[in-house]
Amino acid sequence: MISCFDIGGSFIRHGELRQDGTVSETGRVATPGADWHAFVQAIDKCSKKSQEPISISLAGAYDERSGIADVANIPCLHKRHVQMDLEAALGRPVVITNDANAFALAEAIDGTGRGKPVVFGIILGSGVGGGLVVNGSLVTGVGGMAGEWGHGPVMDPTAGGQITGLEHYPCGCGQVGCIDATCSARGMERIHASLHGAQLASRDITATWHDGETQAAETIEAFTTLLARALSVLVNTLGPDVIPVSGGLSNDAILLDLIDRKTRALVLADYASPLVVKGQFAENGGLHGAGIVARTKFRREKA
Ligand SMILES: [Zn+2]
């Protein structure tokens, strides 16, 4: 039985690839973040010490050409040749996919983008990520970074534009004013703090916005404007048939609808129906995407 894993900073979710190509989730364990030996043992135990291949969705950047992962929140994997080292430790084939890419693949093959040529899956959660699938194939790009639209400044460094009172928030990538730092759930909280001097969690900001509260409405207006502007560049560049969304903010249907309408109003093409929609695999895109990689790579190799 091919084992599939969705490895995040807090939890490892695991499952088994069924004959019909779906993944049945078998459980989750805490991620041994700092201990490589414990990490290997956890993977081995969760996959029932079988000799079958393993397919992993990893919450971090992964360059399949160099084989090196960039996962600052899982120190034992950070800057490691994860695939090579896991194969050596477990004695079986391992394939690794970045989690946003796994989600995009799940949507393009079996989800909202099924049968559609260009699918750009995005994550709107504590950070911002994405993955591009064209004609059913994942585009990984130089350094495995294709689809990572969250980095690169979105804020106007001269300020004084249509939205005033915002700072240029520092980003984990070392730049300032990135989409990731501004248009994520954390970004929404930063915008709210800049505009109103109040520290509120993103879910409280959206809840009070739904209740008609003025300050939250101003925050959401600025947040969705910046996000729609960034997305409009992507839409004009890629011509996606659908932009499925995963991550915590994808659970707010009213927010997604607003982001969708504002984005479609800015782009050149005429999208008559919603473009930015909640992904069918918003909750389990990592595992399902790992399953797709496994069934294309290992089952095809086996045949
Ligand atoms: Zn950045």
Side-chain angles (χ1 to χ4, degrees):
M1 187 70 75
I2 295 176
S3 295
C4 299
F5 290 89
D6 178 9
I7 297 176
S10 304
F11 289 99
I12 297 176
R13 293 169 68 179
H14 53 95
E16 291 173 346
L17 184 65
R18 296 190 188 104
Q19 277 304 318
D20 67 1
T22 60
V23 178
S24 64
E25 188 165 353
T26 46
R28 65 173 66 189
V29 295
T31 307
D35 184 341
W36 168 251
H37 184 65
F39 179 82
V40 171
Q41 278 190 324
I43 297 291
D44 200 26
K45 197 175 167 195
C46 294
S47 54
K48 298 177 181 166
K49 300 183 182 293
S50 117
Q51 291 307 301
E52 291 276 348
I54 286 174
S55 181
I56 290 173
S57 160
L58 181 64
Y62 177 70
D63 181 359
E64 62 184 12
R65 282 169 241 196
S66 71
I68 294 177
D70 198 307
V71 205
N73 62 344
I74 311 176
C76 74
L77 306 186
H78 192 49
K79 302 295 181 192
R80 180 183 279 275
H81 284 84
V82 181
Q83 185 206 7
M84 215 166 66
D85 290 358
L86 265 183
E87 285 188 338
L90 299 170
R92 56 188 139 148
V94 173
V95 63
I96 295 172
T97 310
N98 158 264
D99 63 342
N101 287 348
F103 166 68
L105 204 49
E107 292 296 327
I109 304 298
D110 292 327
T112 55
R114 187 173 184 156
K116 294 176 177 170
V118 182
V119 177
F120 191 72
I122 65 172
I123 314 284
L124 294 178
S126 54
V128 169
L132 175 63
V133 180
V134 178
N135 295 326
S137 295
L138 192 60
V139 178
T140 49
V142 175
M145 292 299 181
E148 289 299 334
W149 66 295
H151 299 282
V154 64
M155 293 294 294
D156 175 2
T158 64
Q162 290 176 9
I163 303 170
T164 55
L166 299 189
E167 299 153 54
H168 304 138
Y169 312 115
C171 182
C173 76
Q175 300 186 82
V176 173
C178 283
I179 296 165
D180 188 277
T182 312
C183 299
S184 57
R186 296 296 85 77
M188 184 192 288
E189 293 160 2
R190 292 184 186 112
I191 291 172
H192 195 77
S194 291
L195 294 180
H196 309 298
Q199 305 289 334
L200 265 190
S202 60
R203 67 169 64 89
D204 296 326
I205 297 170
T206 52
T208 47
W209 168 54
H210 295 319
D211 289 342
E213 200 266 330
T214 314
Q215 289 191 341
E218 285 172 9
T219 298
I220 296 297
E221 174 60 23
F223 174 80
T224 53
T225 297
L226 292 166
L227 183 49
R229 286 180 188 172
L231 275 172
S232 71
V233 178
L234 274 174
V235 173
N236 287 339
T237 308
L238 302 173
D241 294 275
V242 64
I243 301 181
V245 188
S246 153
L249 296 180
S250 72
N251 294 318
D252 190 323
I254 299 168
L255 181 68
L256 270 200
D257 179 63
L258 180 59
I259 294 165
D260 172 64
R261 283 188 285 110
K262 289 177 90 160
T263 303
R264 283 191 289 140
L266 293 175
V267 301
L268 296 174
D270 182 16
Y271 285 91
S273 51
L275 171 66
V276 182
V277 299
K278 182 171 182 178
Q280 196 177 318
F281 294 97
E283 315 303 330
N284 61 348
L287 267 186
H288 193 85
I292 291 170
V293 172
R295 77 198 195 205
T296 48
K297 184 172 173 63
F298 297 126
R299 286 194 177 157
R300 188 176 293 166
E301 283 180 358
K302 232 177 170 181

